[in-house]
Amino acid sequence: MSDQQVDQGKRTWLIATGCAGAVGGVATAVPFVSTFTPSERAKAAGAAVEVDISALKPGEKLTVEWRGKPVWVVRRTPEQLAALKGLDPQLADPASDRTAYPTPDYAKNETRARKPEYLVVVGICSHLGCSPSDKFQTGAQPSLPDDWHGGFLCPCHGSTFDMAGRVFKNKPAPDNLEVPPHMYLSDTKLLIGEDKQA
């Protein structure tokens, strides 16, 4: 009879320690296994990014991340679009012909855009990789010409870009701001990273 009680005690002890070990094993395995699942950031690093532009008002800029780079979506005003006309003689590459940052065919126009109202560019200066500042206000300002029509200024070495991301002549930046592949899924949805329908 006492042998049976000892066996019963051993059984209870074995079950209890087995359960505790199983719980500990699961608690250890879950974080380990979850490291195999890519993070949202990792998924977005190479994947196309969908952007809702419905709340973007004329004159505003939205920044999203694509492949670890800032991509600017600027909704240009009619005045900003009109200011692009006649700037060609002041620009280093007005037709976006240079190939260091190839411009998609659909953006090889004065506005460098699929839809003139929206500018979509990578917000990294082609000189040394700095991020230019918004200088949308027109007129004379520090580090800008007196007849400034709005655009971007790279504070690192003074390169200036118009509201289409085209670099002005005699500036350190050798090329225009890069236009990433993109397409419109609807009037309010933009897909950055792809430009062809599957």
Side-chain angles (χ1 to χ4, degrees):
M1 184 148 183
S2 65
D3 286 344
Q4 197 169 2
Q5 286 179 337
V6 171
D7 288 346
Q8 194 67 17
K10 282 182 182 178
R11 185 176 296 150
T12 303
W13 174 250
L14 287 171
I15 291 171
T17 56
C19 289
V23 168
V26 169
T28 304
V30 167
F32 178 72
V33 171
S34 69
T35 62
F36 293 117
T37 306
S39 67
E40 289 303 314
R41 185 179 177 99
K43 287 181 200 171
V49 178
E50 192 173 310
V51 184
D52 182 355
I53 57 173
S54 61
L56 199 60
K57 295 180 177 59
E60 290 184 344
K61 179 181 92 172
L62 174 69
T63 303
V64 295
E65 186 178 343
W66 171 67
R67 292 190 176 175
K69 299 185 257 186
V71 175
W72 298 337
V73 182
V74 181
R75 186 171 179 188
R76 295 177 282 203
T77 65
E79 295 78 19
Q80 289 169 331
L81 287 168
L84 295 175
K85 298 181 187 318
L87 288 179
D88 286 12
Q90 301 173 48
L91 301 169
D93 184 21
S96 298
D97 291 327
R98 294 184 182 167
T99 57
Y101 295 104
T103 301
D105 288 340
Y106 51 80
K108 282 196 160 228
N109 52 53
E110 186 177 69
T111 60
R112 296 184 79 224
R114 280 187 179 270
K115 293 184 176 185
E117 188 177 358
Y118 294 99
L119 172 67
V120 181
V121 290
V122 175
I124 297 176
C125 181
S126 58
H127 180 220
L128 293 176
C130 302
S131 187
S133 304
D134 303 346
K135 294 294 180 183
F136 296 168
Q137 181 181 335
T138 59
Q141 299 164 59
S143 303
L144 294 170
D146 291 345
D147 63 344
W148 182 246
H149 295 287
F152 308 94
L153 167 68
C154 187
C156 299
H157 299 95
S159 294
T160 49
F161 303 86
D162 70 358
M163 287 301 297
R166 300 177 296 180
V167 68
F168 283 87
K169 285 181 180 175
N170 304 316
K171 299 294 178 177
D175 286 293
N176 298 333
L177 296 178
E178 178 185 358
V179 175
H182 65 280
M183 62 185 189
Y184 291 87
L185 302 176
S186 70
D187 288 340
T188 60
K189 295 278 185 198
L190 175 65
L191 188 67
I192 298 170
E194 285 183 29
D195 57 6
K196 293 178 177 61
Q197 296 287 359

